[in-house]
Amino acid sequence: MKALKASWVLTCDENSTIIKDGAIVYDKKIIDVATYEFIKEKYPSLEIQDLGENSVLMPGLINSHIHLEFSSNTTTLKYGNFLTWLNSVITSREKLVEKATKSLIKEKLDFIKRSGTTTIGAISSYSFDLDSCFESDLNVVYFNEVIGSKPDMIDTLFSDFKSRLELSKKRKREGFYPSVAIHSPYSVHPFLVRESLKLAREENLKVSAHFLESPQEFEWLHKDEGGFLEFFKNFLGQEKAVTKPMQFLEQFSKIDTLSFSHCVEASNNDLEKIKELGAVINHCATSNRVLNNSKLDIEKLIDINLPFSIGTDGLSSNNSLSMFDELRNALMIHTSHDIVKLAKLLVKAATKNGALALGLNKGELKKGFDADIIAIFLPDEVEDEEYLEMNIILHIKNTDKTIIGGIDV
Ligand code: MCF
Ligand code: FE
């Protein structure tokens, strides 16, 4: 049993409770969270490490959507328009993925950890990131991606997906969860969606999918029109979308842990359906801005009480895999929201809601939750706790201490 004391403890519980001069008692799990005075009296023989002035303890951040295999990209891919980006991915994918060596991905995972993240939802297209993810200290929900819409390729694609899934299932360690990603409604044949979801249900695997990320995707799925028409004609000889958005969503019933990334073009009905499915939206604000200048309508999500988490997406659509960088961007992008309230909302999205998106007992400093904790230092005193989250998002770059499952990493 260990204990830490800090100037502030952000519990990230349902009420976003903040404790001034607080302390945490933990082993693998959180045992107690209260004021230092209370903990000192309750555990008189326990040594409590005091982190000192302007210290903050909070749950480790959860990056619910990331593509590590695209980690070698900096200046190669083209931004500003989704189809321009997609075409540049098709052109450069092989070269980029080849450059994303095991040691490069390890380096990125190390950076991710130092910058405050303790859990990732990693979308894996090829299993090239499997070793690095498995060998990392981080908790990894490892989403094996299924992709492909060409009817004559379905069997090959499905068996390739199954063998990647099996490969990840052989890797057994605490905090590593083999899971399923359905790439998107435009790129996955309904048969593949149905069969991979059947498998996910049978084996109770977590599932994630990209959904309505661009206006072009909306036009293609709803009307078989727009930039995607040219793209599909050229690459696959296809003139009609394989599914409608609502038909796609309807296939995801009875999946325990489910998330949809982006959803910037989702209709009210789509959002209601996502809520009904018990799913969480992975919000990737930078990626949306960079790829096609779109923005998730978070007001609408708040209205209907649909939770969203935070993802950086990959370096294929971001310049950073740091969750604090991502939170700063989200704070600047959602200009119609009160900044102080938005900061609180974003911290909750990056902790409690991340755990919801990935189906984990994490993201809150509360008795019984996994002891994934970060210690950070504010540059100066914060007088009013109302402004704590905002100052954290504005100023923090790295952690001073990271604890995963009760262990210093
Ligand atoms: O999330 C971003 C943008 N939307 C879709 N896919 C990807 C993103 N970053 C990487 N990808 C991957 C995806 O997993 O790129 C491929 C897939 O394997 C796109 S389809 C050519
Ligand atoms: Fe993505």
Side-chain angles (χ1 to χ4, degrees):
M1 202 157 72
K2 292 180 196 159
L4 291 170
K5 169 187 188 259
S7 318
W8 301 100
V9 174
L10 259 73
T11 66
C12 299
D13 66 4
E14 59 281 11
N15 304 317
S16 300
T17 307
I18 294 172
I19 304 167
K20 190 172 165 35
D21 295 318
I24 309 177
V25 182
Y26 65 96
D27 49 19
K28 244 176 102 162
K29 304 266 179 199
I30 309 276
I31 297 169
D32 224 334
V33 183
T35 60
Y36 171 66
E37 291 304 318
F38 180 89
I39 296 288
K40 199 174 59 175
E41 252 179 52
K42 189 167 169 188
Y43 304 87
S45 58
L46 186 64
E47 190 192 325
I48 304 173
Q49 186 190 345
D50 184 356
L51 295 172
E53 267 179 30
N54 306 323
S55 56
V56 178
L57 285 165
M58 64 183 287
L61 302 178
I62 299 178
N63 184 346
S64 59
H65 184 85
I66 183 169
H67 301 254
L68 291 162
E69 289 164 327
F70 290 82
S71 286
S72 76
N73 178 61
T74 50
T75 55
T76 304
L77 297 176
K78 296 176 180 171
Y79 293 156
N81 172 292
F82 191 77
L83 275 153
T84 309
W85 173 81
L86 194 56
N87 279 306
S88 75
V89 170
I90 307 272
T91 307
S92 306
R93 183 167 40 183
E94 229 171 290
K95 195 182 73 191
L96 286 175
V97 167
E98 201 176 299
K99 278 205 286 178
T101 56
K102 184 174 166 182
S103 69
L104 183 88
I105 296 178
K106 269 188 182 307
E107 213 178 274
K108 301 297 178 192
L109 286 168
D110 210 48
F111 171 83
I112 288 167
K113 184 170 72 185
R114 280 184 284 115
S115 54
T117 299
T118 51
T119 300
I120 57 172
I123 312 290
S124 171
S125 310
Y126 314 98
S127 304
F128 296 156
D129 51 356
L130 180 59
D131 285 345
S132 340
C133 282
F134 183 72
E135 289 162 21
S136 160
D137 299 317
L138 296 172
N139 302 296
V140 180
V141 176
Y142 191 77
F143 290 107
N144 293 282
E145 181 179 71
V146 57
I147 184 167
S149 60
K150 228 178 165 186
D152 58 348
M153 287 294 287
I154 285 173
D155 290 342
T156 318
L157 292 168
F158 192 51
S159 48
D160 175 66
F161 156 74
K162 278 193 292 189
S163 59
R164 281 184 283 117
L165 178 63
E166 283 311 310
L167 217 58
S168 66
K169 276 163 54 186
K170 287 205 187 99
R171 305 296 183 100
K172 292 191 194 314
R173 72 157 166 93
E174 209 162 329
F176 184 80
Y177 308 87
S179 306
V180 174
I182 314 272
H183 179 252
S184 79
Y186 62 85
S187 61
V188 190
H189 194 280
F191 172 87
L192 281 175
V193 178
R194 192 186 72 206
E195 290 306 307
S196 43
L197 288 176
K198 193 170 151 217
L199 214 150
R201 272 183 211 103
E202 282 164 7
E203 302 186 19
N204 195 24
L205 302 174
K206 305 171 192 298
V207 177
S208 189
H210 293 93
F211 186 69
L212 284 174
E213 173 174 17
S214 65
Q216 292 100 327
E217 180 178 342
F218 182 96
E219 272 200 287
W220 171 242
L221 295 180
H222 282 287
K223 302 181 247 167
D224 303 306
E225 281 174 7
F228 264 112
L229 178 60
E230 204 53 34
F231 178 87
F232 274 97
K233 261 204 224 162
N234 286 348
F235 284 104
L236 301 153
Q238 193 182 317
E239 291 192 25
K240 286 209 175 315
V242 287
T243 188
K244 295 272 178 238
M246 189 51 81
Q247 283 172 336
F248 180 74
L249 292 176
E250 277 164 355
Q251 289 191 270
F252 288 80
S253 63
K254 300 196 183 80
I255 299 288
D256 272 353
T257 300
L258 180 61
S259 63
F260 292 100
S261 302
H262 310 306
C263 303
V264 288
E265 302 295 332
S267 68
N268 288 351
N269 274 349
D270 296 336
L271 295 175
E272 288 290 354
K273 182 70 194 173
I274 290 171
K275 191 182 172 204
E276 188 193 310
L277 290 167
V280 176
I281 292 182
N282 293 316
H283 177 33
C284 307
T286 310
S287 175
N288 298 151
R289 169 72 173 113
V290 160
L291 293 193
N292 52 198
N293 195 25
S294 54
K295 193 183 340 187
L296 182 68
D297 189 348
I298 57 172
E299 305 290 341
K300 213 189 288 176
L301 305 192
I302 296 164
D303 272 356
I304 67 166
N305 205 12
L306 172 55
F308 70 91
S309 60
I310 306 287
T312 55
D313 223 345
L315 290 175
S316 29
S317 54
N318 202 325
N319 62 340
S320 171
L321 298 176
S322 154
M323 279 290 278
F324 283 118
D325 285 344
E326 186 61 29
L327 287 169
R328 271 188 286 281
N329 286 351
L331 194 68
M332 301 304 163
I333 281 172
H334 295 287
T335 48
S336 58
H337 218 92
D338 172 85
I339 195 161
V340 179
K341 288 196 189 115
L342 177 62
K344 290 178 188 294
L345 205 69
L346 291 173
V347 166
K348 184 175 159 205
T351 54
K352 183 178 165 48
N353 292 357
L356 202 60
L358 300 177
L360 302 170
N361 188 36
K362 301 179 181 295
E364 295 179 55
L365 298 182
K366 200 169 161 185
K367 187 177 174 359
F369 280 66
D370 296 343
D372 295 352
I373 308 165
I374 56 172
I376 52 181
F377 284 87
L378 286 159
D380 205 347
E381 196 177 338
V382 173
E383 265 184 34
D384 187 341
E385 72 171 52
E386 179 71 1
Y387 301 98
L388 207 51
E389 290 93 338
M390 192 193 71
N391 278 303
I392 287 171
I393 295 180
L394 288 177
H395 296 290
I396 303 300
K397 296 203 165 49
N398 289 313
T399 59
D400 287 76
K401 192 180 189 53
T402 303
I403 297 160
I404 299 179
I407 295 171
D408 275 63
V409 292

